[in-house]
Amino acid sequence: MSLPLLASVCLLAVTLGYIVKCWLSPFGNCRKCNGMGYELKTDRKGRLKRGKDCRRCHTTGKRIRVGRWIYNRAARTYRAGTR
């Protein structure tokens, strides 16, 4: 098996795997708050305490995946164009 063919097959496998992941689990953990919904802070003694709510995920801890966002946008555009 030649190197370009192997690279193509690997790229195709990764792409299909991501498509399946977006289909089965459209939401992933927020990258800013690591899925907690808020920021962790420490007080002056070094103990952890709850910080501000995450503005990026609106305190849910979940965000829509990039692939699912692209699919939703394309489907919305297609539906709007075929009405």
Side-chain angles (χ1 to χ4, degrees), residues 4-55:
L5 182 62
L6 183 62
S8 308
V9 170
C10 288
L11 185 62
L12 183 65
V14 169
T15 303
L16 290 177
Y18 184 69
I19 289 171
V20 168
K21 185 170 185 154
C22 287
W23 179 55
L24 293 176
S25 176
F27 295 98
N29 287 339
C30 178
R31 292 186 307 265
K32 184 168 177 121
C33 65
N34 294 322
M36 295 192 66
Y38 52 87
E39 179 185 6
L40 286 177
K41 286 189 166 185
T42 56
D43 59 3
R44 292 190 298 177
K45 292 183 180 179
R47 293 182 297 218
L48 289 175
K49 67 178 199 172
R50 182 184 170 143
K52 292 182 179 180
D53 293 341
C54 181
R55 296 184 318 171

Side-chain angles (χ1 to χ4, degrees), residues 57-81:
C57 66
H58 304 289
T59 317
T60 61
K62 296 291 181 185
R63 297 263 312 200
I64 193 160
R65 295 187 194 277
V66 175
R68 186 61 183 215
W69 182 85
I70 291 171
Y71 170 76
N72 288 349
R73 183 64 56 105
R76 190 177 308 127
T77 302
Y78 177 76
R79 280 193 305 268

